[in-house]
Amino acid sequence: MKYLSLLIFGFALISISGCEEEKGPANLQLVFKGLFDGNTLVLNEDNTYVNGIPMRMSHLQFYIANIELKGDFGTIVKDIDVVDFSQNHMNAATAAQGETMTFEDVPPGTYTGLKFGIGVPPALNSMQPAEFAVGHPLSNTADHWTAWNSFIFAKVEGRSDEDDDGIFSGSILYHTGGDDLYREYENNSGFILVEGETTTVTLTLDALELFYTATDTLDIINNGVSHTTPSDQVSVDISTFVMDNFIRAINVE
Amino acid sequence: MIRLVLFALASILFVAACQTDPLPPPPPPPPTTCLSDEDLSAITYAPVSYEPAIPTNFPPLIVPPDNQLTEKGVELGRKLFYDPILSADSTKSCFSCHQLGKSFTDGLAFSPGIDGTLGERSSMALVNLGFTPGPFFWDGRTNTLEEQALLPVEDPVELHDSWENVVCKLSNHSEYPELFREAFGISNANEITKELTAKALAQFERTMISGDSRFDKVIYEQQGFFTDDEWNGYQMFFDLATGVLPDAECGHCHNAPLFTTNQFRNNGLDEVFDLNDFPDLGLGAVTGNLFDNGKFRIPTLRNVALTAPYMHDGRFETLEEVIDHYNSGGNYADNLDPLIYPIGLDSTQKAQIFAFLHTLTDLEFTNNVEAFGNPF
């Protein structure tokens, strides 16, 4: 009889604990929303450049590396990925949603901000697409440039209409790469990840800000194309300018 | 009393028979099948993995989990590829438009189907498709090689048969049931399907690997040298000699080692001021996206000297015409690729690009009758 009571008590305990709500891991959604001069970026739509020239963005993508959630127990949730604005930014209906990366099973807690690289870190950049499994962000030969032996860190493409006649005859193409152009972005906007819940952190990237600073503006008419050719200092300078501007162009929404 | 009841019943039947409602449609005929029910279970099924020789500088081969390459699967695919049994009148096969010596093209701008009707696009080279994540075709209409292999059979300007008929022919064939058994382990001839047929074709296509050209030998294997012209062409192709030679802008879309980036671009073939005006909408007809109109798959340049005529519509007969087109900057459209602009190559430089393109010819591949030739 004594043992029976213990058994019943044990079952009761198990039953009560079994009724507690099970909580899953914390998830983080990192959303990148493309902008152009503060407005939602829609690829191939007419925009106006800094100096008033009509222009269109047709493609925008960049590698994002070592995505770190800052905090006392900060953690790197992904070593490399691609932010490609041609997924949702091709039309106005979906552009406002941004491009989403989801990180599952992240330790819950309070984080003090985000940190990540823009481009491909040297250790990975020394490798070839053929060394990565199919589907890996670095497996695509379209994003590797044999001439530099480097991945293409960022692709900024579009067209310009210099004489404002409605014909966007000018090419805009800035492809950046090479170890020296790897950059790091960091913010101090804290967020909390709760067990069993998905938290969304939204960043914006204003494409227009890639083209200018307070003192300089890229000449998209006469220097509209750059492949970061190592032997061409002008080309290297343009790509350096663009990569430096990524840091300023990315902001917390 | 009994007579009264019988009369009443007869009257009801008569009235019912005289109703004017339309008769229901006749039931569909019972499914007829021409499939053989030959039992194959006594035939040994012992799949052996097929390991193609992949150049070390190539990316990993893309093989779906449910269609791993086997020796018997590849063998079956090769046989099907060359067998006109896939066409309605048994006159044409995949081989008709994809010939080994031409890097699996046919030398025509548009290929005639079994009815003599010309297709609307030039046949694409079947080279290194196993490294292509897709989509396939000039317009990207299928996502996998298996899906790709399904379409030509029923295309009215190609093999113009029905899969139902083709499967029946295969099921009743004197050899194919056994070959399908050995390749896929089916236990009865009635288990042959179009999906299995496409899988076999895709397996064979994945073995068509070309990576042994002079370019590969010189650049990757350090065997031999380029001529001066080839070397200069190589430098311009990949923009390796800035300040000395112009950037011909080729490598961006035709990057090594596959010499395609598997993307879809408008390379300036047609001048249009309204994106709806392209004579062939290409990718746009598949995606419905206006800015995809006039975009086509970037083809590989491996063996390009063997694959004339060029472009999706075969409009250029020679490589010289192709080089002239890109050198000119192409024709305007709102979605013209930004890499297409006047290059400014002189005649010597164009000839050097031409010379370099010829280094991409892989005769080890196009002469490999043992692996890729007609098994019949």
Side-chain angles (χ1 to χ4, degrees):
Chain A
M1 187 64 191
K2 182 175 70 176
Y3 292 114
L4 183 62
S5 302
L6 280 172
L7 205 59
I8 292 170
F9 181 67
F11 271 121
L13 271 180
I14 291 169
S15 302
I16 290 167
S17 61
C19 290
E20 285 181 2
E21 186 183 346
E22 285 190 14
K23 291 185 176 178
N27 299 324
L28 171 66
Q29 273 191 338
L30 182 56
V31 178
F32 281 90
K33 289 186 178 178
L35 304 176
F36 193 96
D37 199 17
N39 301 310
T40 298
L41 170 69
V42 180
L43 296 175
N44 297 310
E45 278 203 348
D46 292 5
N47 284 300
T48 305
Y49 193 53
V50 182
N51 54 7
I53 294 174
M55 70 171 286
R56 292 171 176 162
M57 295 290 301
S58 60
H59 188 66
L60 178 60
Q61 73 170 59
F62 64 96
Y63 276 108
I64 177 172
N66 295 327
I67 305 167
E68 180 182 345
L69 315 186
K70 297 195 307 180
D72 292 340
F73 48 97
T75 181
I76 290 180
V77 292
K78 193 85 185 269
D79 63 342
I80 192 79
D81 211 333
V82 177
V83 180
D84 181 354
F85 288 87
S86 64
Q87 301 301 308
N88 284 332
H89 287 77
M90 291 297 287
N91 61 72
T94 55
Q97 298 171 16
E99 312 293 344
T100 300
M101 296 178 178
T102 301
F103 307 106
E104 297 177 337
D105 203 9
V106 181
T110 300
Y111 293 91
T112 58
L114 269 177
K115 183 178 178 182
F116 53 78
I118 299 170
V120 180
L124 288 174
N125 199 35
S126 65
M127 300 173 72
Q128 300 291 317
E131 297 179 67
F132 297 93
V134 177
H136 188 282
L138 297 177
S139 67
N140 191 351
T141 55
D143 296 328
H144 188 268
W145 185 225
T146 307
W148 322 319
N149 198 24
S150 167
F151 286 88
I152 302 172
F153 291 0
K155 291 181 176 178
V156 181
E157 299 177 14
R159 302 199 67 82
S160 62
D161 177 11
E162 181 183 10
D163 50 11
D164 200 9
D165 63 353
I167 308 297
F168 287 73
S169 53
S171 289
I172 301 170
L173 183 141
Y174 301 124
H175 285 186
T176 69
D179 289 347
D180 291 345
L181 293 188
Y182 184 71
R183 296 289 180 270
E184 284 197 334
Y185 166 86
E186 185 172 5
N187 70 41
N188 295 310
S189 298
F191 54 93
I192 298 171
L193 298 185
V194 179
E195 192 176 6
E197 294 184 12
T198 298
T199 300
T200 299
V201 173
T202 301
L203 301 177
T204 60
L205 168 61
D206 195 319
L208 183 58
E209 296 200 24
L210 299 175
F211 294 85
Y212 74 95
T213 64
T215 54
D216 286 311
T217 300
L218 279 180
D219 180 352
I220 59 171
I221 303 302
N222 297 304
N223 283 315
V225 176
S226 167
H227 307 303
T228 327
T229 307
S231 57
D232 181 352
Q233 192 55 47
V234 173
S235 175
V236 172
D237 289 346
I238 289 171
S239 293
T240 303
F241 186 81
V242 170
M243 290 303 287
D244 287 342
N245 284 344
F246 261 98
I247 308 302
R248 184 172 57 93
I250 296 174
N251 290 287
V252 178
E253 186 180 57
Chain B
M1 182 63 186
I2 291 173
R3 284 181 182 171
L4 188 63
V5 171
L6 283 173
F7 176 77
L9 278 172
S11 300
I12 290 170
L13 286 171
F14 178 78
V15 169
C18 291
Q19 284 180 342
T20 57
D21 288 347
L23 291 172
T32 58
T33 178
C34 58
L35 295 178
S36 161
D37 62 355
E38 179 187 354
D39 183 6
L40 306 171
S41 55
I43 300 169
T44 302
Y45 170 57
V48 176
S49 178
Y50 181 97
E51 302 294 342
I54 300 173
T56 54
N57 52 300
F58 270 32
L61 195 67
I62 302 170
V63 182
D66 65 347
N67 195 25
Q68 297 292 308
L69 271 60
T70 65
E71 290 184 359
K72 292 295 183 183
V74 171
E75 183 184 321
L76 171 60
R78 179 180 176 184
K79 194 173 173 73
L80 290 165
F81 185 88
Y82 283 94
D83 196 337
I85 195 172
L86 296 187
S87 63
D89 62 357
S90 297
T91 60
K92 286 186 181 290
S93 64
C94 308
F95 158 70
S96 304
C97 301
H98 300 285
Q99 300 157 14
L100 173 60
K102 297 184 176 74
S103 199
F104 288 109
T105 60
D106 62 359
L108 300 172
F110 305 110
S111 314
I114 65 165
D115 306 316
T117 311
L118 293 180
E120 295 176 343
R121 296 181 186 136
S122 188
S123 69
M124 300 195 80
L126 304 184
V127 176
N128 299 328
L129 295 181
F131 306 98
T132 300
F136 295 89
F137 286 108
W138 282 109
D139 58 5
R141 83 185 89 146
T142 66
N143 288 319
T144 68
L145 260 185
E146 284 75 7
E147 292 173 22
Q148 176 274 326
L150 286 172
L151 298 193
V153 164
E154 295 193 325
D155 193 320
V157 296
E158 296 187 49
L159 304 178
H160 203 182
D161 207 336
S162 70
W163 270 110
E164 183 183 14
N165 191 45
V166 168
V167 168
C168 281
K169 288 187 282 185
L170 294 171
S171 176
N172 288 285
H173 195 271
S174 60
E175 297 176 26
Y176 278 114
E178 180 177 345
L179 297 177
F180 272 88
R181 162 70 178 175
E182 291 173 336
F184 297 111
I186 61 172
S187 55
N188 192 291
N190 62 21
E191 294 172 32
I192 293 175
T193 62
K194 64 179 183 181
E195 287 80 12
L196 287 181
T197 309
K199 279 185 173 182
L201 287 166
Q203 284 196 34
F204 177 52
E205 288 180 312
R206 287 194 175 92
T207 69
M208 298 171 178
I209 297 170
S210 175
D212 198 15
S213 63
R214 278 196 54 237
F215 166 81
D216 298 290
K217 288 184 168 67
V218 172
I219 298 298
Y220 295 126
E221 300 167 24
Q222 287 77 51
Q223 293 179 26
F225 301 93
F226 284 145
T227 65
D228 287 348
D229 280 348
E230 290 166 350
W231 176 252
N232 284 346
Y234 167 67
Q235 301 272 306
M236 289 184 284
F237 189 99
F238 286 113
D239 188 22
L240 295 170
T242 303
V244 180
L245 292 167
D247 179 2
E249 303 285 10
C250 313
H252 305 285
C253 293
H254 298 283
N255 199 4
L258 300 177
F259 286 87
T260 172
T261 49
N262 298 314
Q263 296 169 313
F264 292 78
R265 302 280 180 150
N266 171 9
N267 59 344
L269 294 177
D270 296 304
E271 182 176 75
V272 299
F273 294 97
D274 180 332
L275 291 175
N276 291 301
D277 289 344
F278 285 104
D280 184 341
L281 296 183
L283 179 67
V286 174
T287 66
N289 185 328
L290 181 68
F291 272 81
D292 286 339
N293 285 356
K295 291 184 179 179
F296 295 89
R297 180 176 176 75
I298 298 168
T300 180
L301 296 190
R302 284 193 173 271
N303 303 309
V304 69
L306 306 175
T307 63
Y310 302 101
M311 306 299 161
H312 67 278
D313 54 6
R315 69 177 62 191
F316 298 134
E317 294 284 341
T318 66
L319 274 178
E320 287 91 337
E321 290 177 56
V322 174
I323 294 168
D324 280 339
H325 165 74
Y326 287 118
N327 199 40
S328 74
N331 298 298
Y332 178 77
D334 276 353
N335 61 353
L336 176 65
D337 193 273
L339 281 164
I340 307 295
Y341 61 89
I343 303 298
L345 304 181
D346 62 30
S347 57
T348 300
Q349 291 160 340
K350 288 192 291 184
Q352 290 168 338
I353 292 287
F354 179 86
F356 171 67
L357 291 175
H358 277 73
T359 71
L360 302 178
T361 300
D362 176 4
L363 295 178
E364 298 293 325
F365 173 72
T366 56
N367 289 336
N368 192 350
V369 176
E370 185 180 345
F372 307 119
N374 191 335
F376 293 101

